[in-house]
Every structure is written in C-alpha cells, then in structure tokens.
Amino acid sequence: MFSSVYTSVLKNPFCAELLRRCIAKQTTVCTKYNSVRNLPAKLIGMPSEDHIAKIDGNAEKWVRTALAGMVRRPFADLPQFRGPSNETPDAEAMDLLERLLQYDPDVRPTAEEALRHPFFSEYHVPTDEPIAAQPFDKAFEKLKLDAAGWKEMCMREIAEFRRNPPKF
C-alpha cells in the first residue's frame, strides 16, 4: 500500500505534466532540493493523520520520521512556481496541481474529475473521453506473490485482454 500510494503521486500523468509546465523555466528547483523526485514531498508536506493511519507498520514510522516538519503551503506562494519576473502562476494550474498532489488516493480527484477541471476546459471533449463501466479494481495490490506469481498473473491478464479487448 505504501509504495503504491506514494509512487502514484509521482507517476500521475496530470501531476507530471503540471509539474513540468510549472518548473520548466525554473532550473533552480533541481538544485534547491536534493532531487526532483523529492519535490512532491517538499511541496505537499506531511500526510494528514487520517492518511497516516492507513499506512502499515514500518512505512508509517518512515513517513513520520522522513517527512517530520514538512508543511504543505499554497503552491502559488512558492517561488518555484513564479515566473522569471515573479509573476503569479496560473490559478487554475495551481488549483489542479494542489488537488492532484495528495498522498491519499481517496482524496485525490479521479481522472474523470480531473478532466472536468477548468484547467483542461479547452481540451475537454466529452464524446472522446470514454468512462470505464466499473471502477478500477486495486485488490491485486494486497496480494502477497513472489516474482513467478506476479508474472503468471500478468500473463493471464494479457491473454484475457487479447481474447476480449475493450470496446470503446
């Protein structure tokens, strides 16, 4: 659970694109922090107690230790998101970024909700945005499998996909 929650923030395509847009001209971001990979944690601070309660064992201890003292601040107030002349960042981009950069996936907007955000309004084409008939099943994240087990499960998924490809 821990790795999927925290790496999903980094792998979220919306987050990645917004971060890219916001820091593209800000080369100081890379030198100011230890690494770009640590940037989301520096920006979004310590998870809420509600979210920490969902984290198990050693991961909870690591979060409390590694992120201690980190405080979430409004992104628009951070110099990393201001332009070369200290201009205010795009309010819609900042709002969406703050909503997407949440540790807790239960708080983060779904892809459908994110696509309806005003930031994407010029690209929103409802007829070209299919919605899954059922929610994504994340039960596999709780499975305790070895490498061979994961490989077998992936091969079954691939075979099923080939037999019954999704219809859009």
Side-chain angles (χ1 to χ4, degrees):
M1 178 177 172
F2 171 77
S3 63
S4 66
V5 170
Y6 291 87
T7 58
S8 66
V9 170
L10 299 174
K11 292 180 180 177
N12 185 316
F14 298 118
C15 292
E17 175 60 13
L18 285 170
L19 279 171
R20 186 195 65 74
R21 287 184 187 191
C22 291
I23 66 175
K25 296 178 183 175
Q26 300 293 324
T27 55
T28 58
V29 171
C30 296
T31 57
K32 192 166 196 168
Y33 296 110
N34 292 335
S35 71
V36 173
R37 187 176 60 181
N38 292 334
L39 180 60
K42 296 276 189 180
L43 292 174
I44 63 180
M46 181 80 154
S48 69
E49 285 299 320
D50 290 341
H51 181 62
I52 291 174
K54 296 178 183 179
I55 301 171
D56 56 358
N58 292 333
E60 176 187 350
K61 185 177 180 180
W62 180 88
V63 167
R64 290 190 186 279
T65 304
L67 303 180
M70 292 190 187
V71 178
R72 185 181 187 108
R73 296 183 295 168
F75 291 177
D77 294 349
L78 299 171
Q80 294 86 349
F81 293 112
R82 297 198 170 266
S85 303
N86 203 33
E87 62 265 16
T88 304
D90 181 290
E92 289 176 349
M94 292 296 97
D95 179 64
L96 181 58
L97 189 59
E98 287 189 15
R99 291 172 189 260
L100 291 171
L101 285 175
Q102 298 288 331
Y103 288 110
D104 191 342
D106 297 332
V107 175
R108 224 179 292 136
T110 63
E112 183 182 358
E113 291 165 345
L115 286 170
R116 285 195 309 258
H117 190 277
F119 180 78
F120 292 115
S121 63
E122 68 181 283
Y123 308 109
H124 183 57
V125 181
T127 58
D128 194 31
E129 297 166 9
I131 298 170
Q134 59 191 20
F136 180 71
D137 179 11
K138 298 185 280 187
F140 70 90
E141 290 186 358
K142 295 182 181 181
L143 297 175
K144 306 278 189 221
L145 300 174
D146 61 7
W150 284 110
K151 182 178 179 180
E152 175 61 30
M153 190 172 80
C154 289
M155 296 305 288
R156 282 196 309 257
E157 285 290 318
I158 292 168
E160 177 61 27
F161 182 85
R162 287 181 176 158
R163 278 193 300 276
N164 298 308
K167 295 173 178 53
F168 295 108

